[in-house]
Amino acid sequence: QVQFVESGGGLVQPGGSLRLSCVASGSIPSFYTMGWYRQAPGKQRELVAVITNNGRTNYADSVKGRFTISRDNAKNTDYLQMNSLKPEDTAVYYCNKQPPAYDYWGQGTQVTVSS
């Protein structure tokens, strides 16, 4: 059974950067479109970045120009480079295929942006 494991979160000051990683515990098809999602306290989970199997990307307006999604199919790993972080980026970040598969959700990684 596939499950995604996220890492790289932490506490960072506004304007700082973090790089998140997502590893699949099992083998997943390389043709999957992958996404990074986040859920802030009291809010619904939202999709923030998407990458197709051929590297095409798309971003939510709130992170466009600041976040970069990438993938390494050989390593079954996806990344989210987050720059110019803002307090409103504070959330638990998850990765999953897009559209998401319920059974694939991992524990997420907490990102807190605060001075």
Side-chain angles (χ1 to χ4, degrees), residues 1-4 25 96 100-106:
Q1 181 177 348
V2 174
Q3 190 170 54
F4 293 108
S25 62
N96 203 325
Y102 177 81
D103 290 344
Y104 290 3
W105 289 114

Side-chain angles (χ1 to χ4, degrees), residues 22-24 26-30 53 71-79:
C22 165
V23 180
S27 178
I28 61 170
S30 60
N53 64 317
R71 68 193 295 172
D72 185 335
N73 288 331
K75 296 181 179 180
N76 261 358
T77 303
D78 293 89
Y79 305 95

Side-chain angles (χ1 to χ4, degrees), residues 72-111:
D72 185 335
N73 288 331
K75 296 181 179 180
N76 261 358
T77 303
D78 293 89
Y79 305 95
L80 186 68
Q81 177 68 43
M82 306 186 297
N83 299 328
S84 303
L85 283 162
K86 304 175 181 180
E88 51 264 41
D89 294 319
T90 295
V92 179
Y93 284 72
Y94 304 86
C95 66
N96 203 325
K97 57 186 291 292
Q98 166 61 18
Y102 177 81
D103 290 344
Y104 290 3
W105 289 114
Q107 295 300 309
T109 185
Q110 175 70 48
V111 172

Side-chain angles (χ1 to χ4, degrees), residues 28-36 50-57 68-80:
I28 61 170
S30 60
F31 61 78
Y32 276 0
T33 292
M34 290 295 298
W36 279 96
V50 172
I51 186 166
T52 66
N53 64 317
N54 59 6
R56 184 172 296 180
T57 59
T68 303
I69 187 172
S70 60
R71 68 193 295 172
D72 185 335
N73 288 331
K75 296 181 179 180
N76 261 358
T77 303
D78 293 89
Y79 305 95
L80 186 68

Side-chain angles (χ1 to χ4, degrees), residues 12 19 39 45-46 50 53-54 60 64 68 74 80 101 111-112:
V12 63
R19 189 192 193 207
Q39 186 167 20
R45 194 173 296 178
E46 63 172 341
V50 172
N53 64 317
N54 59 6
K64 200 170 292 184
T68 303
L80 186 68
V111 172
T112 303

